[in-house]
Amino acid sequence: MPRQLNYHSIREIFTRFQTAEASPKGELDHVNAYTLVVAVALSAQATDKGVNKATRELFKIADTPQKMLDLGEDGLIAHIKTIGLYRNKAKNVIKLSRILVEDYDGEVPNSRAALQSLPGVGRKTANVVLNMWWRYPAQAVDTHIFRFGNRSGVAVGKDVVAVERAIEDNIPVDFQLHAHHWMILHGRYTCVARKPKCNACLIRDLCYYEDKTP
């Protein structure tokens, strides 16, 4: 099991992240809470870039649950067929849109339990929406954050829920709002899976990863 970094090291890491980019942003395009839910649901096993390309025109005509229902499943598929698992995702988007119209007056609920009750919306998606739209310090742990958290010692855990808990327990509260964005961007572009770019890493001296690339 990887070692967990101490408080002072973690505070220094996030101080450096904050200095480099004070207000990191998610990379999924959206115009409101509903389109954010849809975009995050579509991003499972797909790249943000690919999702943005597919939703660019979609969200111009279907930016509310009712408009998505009016578009219909086949109409939705026509926009998202370049995304992996598009048929199943289309079914879920139509189902969640119907639930939002029928049970929530077309509004996206802002509780984790209510969000997770929607088809195709898991804990990670719910946390992304809570964080990005309502600015709640929810921690959405994806593969990038899981890898970076364990590799560096910032947030150690055997599964995503354990890493989420480690982030909440170990990262100082003044960094919690943007913590998951700093980590996902670092994992996506610097602490990559196969050959981490340790020579360009601004926290190299604090990280516990033993097999640092030269």
Side-chain angles (χ1 to χ4, degrees):
M1 191 74 170
R3 293 179 293 165
Q4 177 70 51
L5 283 167
N6 63 39
Y7 171 84
H8 298 291
S9 294
I10 293 173
R11 172 163 281 283
E12 176 60 24
I13 284 171
F14 283 90
T15 297
R16 294 182 191 182
F17 284 160
Q18 185 178 61
T19 299
E21 187 170 7
S23 299
K25 299 286 190 281
E27 297 184 320
L28 283 172
D29 294 338
H30 60 283
V31 297
N32 54 30
Y34 171 70
T35 54
L36 178 59
V37 171
V38 173
V40 180
L42 292 176
S43 71
Q45 300 181 51
T47 65
D48 289 359
K49 185 176 181 180
V51 172
N52 290 340
K53 184 177 181 180
T55 59
R56 190 169 296 122
E57 296 302 318
L58 172 65
F59 290 159
K60 291 179 181 179
I61 60 174
D63 60 353
T64 69
Q66 186 58 58
K67 289 179 182 177
M68 190 67 76
L69 292 177
D70 293 342
L71 179 64
E73 189 174 322
D74 289 340
L76 173 56
I77 285 175
H79 285 276
I80 67 169
K81 59 186 178 182
T82 56
I83 299 175
L85 306 175
Y86 68 90
R87 291 191 184 279
N88 188 56
K89 290 177 181 179
K91 290 181 185 299
N92 284 334
V93 168
I94 294 299
K95 287 178 182 177
L96 73 84
S97 299
R98 184 169 291 110
I99 291 171
L100 290 176
V101 168
E102 294 177 353
D103 297 346
Y104 296 97
D105 297 320
E107 299 294 326
V108 176
N110 63 352
S111 82
R112 186 183 287 114
L115 286 167
Q116 285 188 245
S117 72
L118 299 173
V121 176
R123 186 177 182 87
K124 185 187 79 170
T125 297
N127 281 344
V128 170
V129 175
L130 291 173
N131 181 274
M132 289 182 64
W133 191 255
W134 282 286
R135 296 182 64 79
Y136 177 77
Q139 307 302 333
V141 178
D142 70 349
T143 56
H144 300 298
I145 292 177
F146 184 81
R147 178 178 64 252
F148 167 69
N150 279 289
R151 182 184 274 174
S152 66
V154 165
V156 173
K158 63 184 179 182
D159 54 43
V160 293
V161 175
V163 170
E164 180 182 330
R165 182 67 58 83
I167 293 170
E168 294 172 345
D169 289 348
N170 293 289
I171 295 174
V173 294
D174 46 318
F175 297 118
Q176 288 275 336
L177 180 60
H178 295 307
H180 112 267
H181 279 128
W182 281 316
M183 288 188 288
I184 195 172
L185 293 172
H186 194 72
R188 183 175 289 166
Y189 297 112
T190 303
C191 196
V192 296
R194 290 177 180 264
K195 292 183 179 180
K197 301 173 184 177
C198 300
N199 60 326
C201 179
L202 76 169
I203 64 164
R204 178 188 175 106
D205 58 313
L206 298 166
C207 171
Y208 272 154
Y209 185 52
E210 295 180 351
D211 298 322
K212 291 185 175 70
T213 54

